[in-house]
Amino acid sequence: MAVLCIHQLLALAVIVEVAPLPVKSLSARYRNWSYYIGDYGGFVVPPDAGHFEGQTLTDAPVVYEKSPEDQLPWKYRMTYLFFNGSTGANGYEVGLALSDDLLRWTF
């Protein structure tokens, strides 16, 4: 394992500095995007998804397609974390959302 002193790290930082012109030309195609706002005001998972008592935050959505042996309707699944701040719970829990088009979700 190599250990670098602060002087070596500073020297590396100077070497890695990127010129502004190439960065602007490389990023041009990614500017001025339009985003799908959808039913949730721009959120993938709205902060009150599922409307659980004490729910204050949502985080970490993971989307996957259902397997052929899955008997539930809807083609896609999304698990997400939410913080339950109700008295006595105070912790993270997992929620499940279902969708057919990846845009509208049933929480």
Side-chain angles (χ1 to χ4, degrees):
M1 184 166 118
V3 178
L4 298 174
C5 70
I6 190 69
H7 299 292
Q8 290 169 317
L9 290 173
L10 290 173
L12 285 174
V14 171
I15 293 169
V16 177
E17 185 177 334
V18 179
L21 184 58
V23 170
K24 287 187 182 248
S25 64
L26 292 172
S27 66
R29 66 181 177 162
Y30 300 108
R31 284 184 254 139
N32 302 318
W33 287 21
S34 60
Y35 294 93
Y36 175 78
I37 299 300
D39 299 334
Y40 313 117
F43 290 102
V44 174
V45 183
D48 63 345
H51 306 288
F52 298 104
E53 182 181 344
Q55 179 177 349
T56 56
L57 302 167
T58 57
D59 195 11
V62 177
V63 177
Y64 50 96
E65 191 171 1
K66 78 174 187 174
S67 62
E69 56 273 359
D70 189 342
Q71 298 301 313
L72 290 172
W74 299 289
K75 186 174 181 179
Y76 299 100
R77 311 280 186 259
M78 175 173 52
T79 56
Y80 60 95
L81 298 176
F82 66 90
F83 184 77
N84 186 342
S86 62
T87 306
N90 290 332
Y92 282 93
E93 297 185 34
V94 177
L96 174 67
L98 307 167
S99 175
D100 273 328
D101 61 5
L102 295 172
L103 296 176
R104 287 172 286 284
W105 292 90
T106 302
F107 293 98

